Amino acid sequence: MMDTPHESIETCLARMKRAWDAGDAAAYAQEFTEDASYVIYVGLTYFGRAEIERAHLPVFAKWQKGSRMDLRVLQTRMLTAETAVVVTEGGIGKGRNIRRDKVQTFVMVRREGRWLCSAFQNTKRNRLFIRVNQLIERRSESGGKADRERRLLNPSAG
């Protein structure tokens, strides 16, 4: 049975997760195209599979040694039969429960029947800004409703 594009993309993401969990920089980098771009939440950029691998060697050997990845697909949007944009939420941690405190965007391409990541961008969620934005949106929604009600009651105030 042939995989659907979404299943194949999720298979690629599962390979990335397994490589991260194993602390295997080479296997992790193999899930990216030779010319991939990789942007992490602090603004560091890496270009190309070799640089992505090199950057992850100290990550897995030192400050993220023994960490695991948790990842959940929020949206997969097929641009063509060979290209997709995938938005995920995820996190890295060492405990039992890993907080999904980041949002990632993957540009996936199918090369020779295998999905790979051509571009990756990771954004750390800022809970304070998210909450402020939610409050502003609520006020805007309720303010807009109040304005509409005032205009209905007093059309000349318009």
Side-chain angles (χ1 to χ4, degrees):
M1 179 175 140
M2 181 126 177
D3 282 343
T4 67
H6 298 280
E7 289 170 335
S8 296
I9 290 168
E10 288 181 4
T11 299
C12 175
L13 295 174
R15 287 191 308 261
M16 281 184 189
K17 180 186 176 335
R18 277 194 306 275
W20 185 284
D21 292 354
D24 188 338
Y28 184 72
Q30 284 302 307
E31 299 307 319
F32 295 85
T33 61
E34 286 289 336
D35 60 348
S37 60
Y38 193 97
V39 182
I40 64 172
Y41 72 92
V42 297
L44 292 173
T45 56
Y46 305 103
F47 299 101
R49 182 185 289 155
E51 196 171 319
I52 293 168
E53 180 179 351
R54 230 181 352 270
H56 283 83
L57 289 170
V59 170
F60 295 140
K62 296 179 183 167
W63 60 278
Q64 287 293 348
K65 185 177 184 174
S67 66
R68 295 179 303 109
M69 177 188 288
D70 186 37
L71 192 69
R72 182 174 77 95
V73 174
L74 298 175
Q75 180 189 53
T76 299
R77 186 167 46 99
M78 300 303 297
L79 302 179
T80 70
E82 308 295 318
T83 309
V85 174
V86 180
V87 178
T88 64
E89 64 177 358
I92 303 298
K94 296 180 182 177
R96 187 169 176 223
N97 296 318
I98 299 171
R99 199 168 94 217
R100 294 180 184 147
D101 60 347
K102 297 180 189 75
V103 177
Q104 301 84 19
T105 302
F106 296 84
V107 177
M108 305 296 287
V109 295
R110 187 174 7 209
R111 301 243 172 107
E112 299 174 8
R114 181 179 168 151
W115 286 98
L116 298 170
C117 181
S118 181
F120 170 82
Q121 198 277 326
N122 193 18
T123 302
K124 187 168 179 73
R125 284 190 169 133
N126 183 311
R127 292 190 290 177
L128 174 62
F129 287 150
I130 290 170
R131 183 68 180 134
V132 168
N133 191 54
Q134 289 169 339
L135 291 171
I136 290 170
E137 285 177 354
R138 277 195 210 123
R139 285 185 185 149
S140 296
E141 289 169 5
S142 64
K145 183 178 178 185
D147 288 342
R148 284 190 301 278
E149 288 172 356
R150 272 193 297 277
R151 282 192 300 268
L152 288 172
L153 294 172
N154 188 2
S156 63

